[in-house]
Amino acid sequence: MVTAYVMVKANTGEADRLKGSIEEITGVSEAHIVAGDVDIIAKLSVDSPAQVKEIAADGIQGISGVEDTRTYIAMD
């Protein structure tokens, strides 16, 4: 099992809508609106690093209103 975290920067006023869209993606186990440099942190629980790339690049980044993402794969 691979755990990863995707930091999502949303366009102004889009965080609530984006959170719902991100939570619908298969492999996303949690998504939270947060205060700070990013607007949403999504936790991914998948079988392989390739699935992390697919979800982050094709899934999350493909949602209208996503300005930027950063992905971190847990090492433990």
Side-chain angles (χ1 to χ4, degrees):
M1 181 63 74
V2 177
T3 300
Y5 298 90
V6 180
M7 311 300 149
V8 181
K9 182 73 177 159
N11 290 337
T12 304
E14 296 282 353
D16 288 322
R17 181 186 64 78
L18 289 176
K19 179 181 179 277
S21 296
I22 290 168
E23 288 175 325
E24 293 176 0
I25 298 172
T26 301
V28 174
S29 59
E30 300 177 41
H32 301 278
I33 295 174
V34 298
D37 294 339
V38 297
D39 300 300
I40 299 168
I41 297 176
K43 180 179 179 182
L44 282 54
S45 296
V46 294
D47 293 325
S48 71
Q51 287 177 302
V52 171
K53 179 182 179 279
E54 181 180 319
I55 292 169
D58 299 333
I60 295 173
Q61 288 180 4
I63 299 171
S64 176
V66 171
E67 185 177 308
D68 190 30
T69 64
R70 286 179 277 153
T71 304
Y72 301 90
I73 295 178
M75 301 301 288
D76 64 351

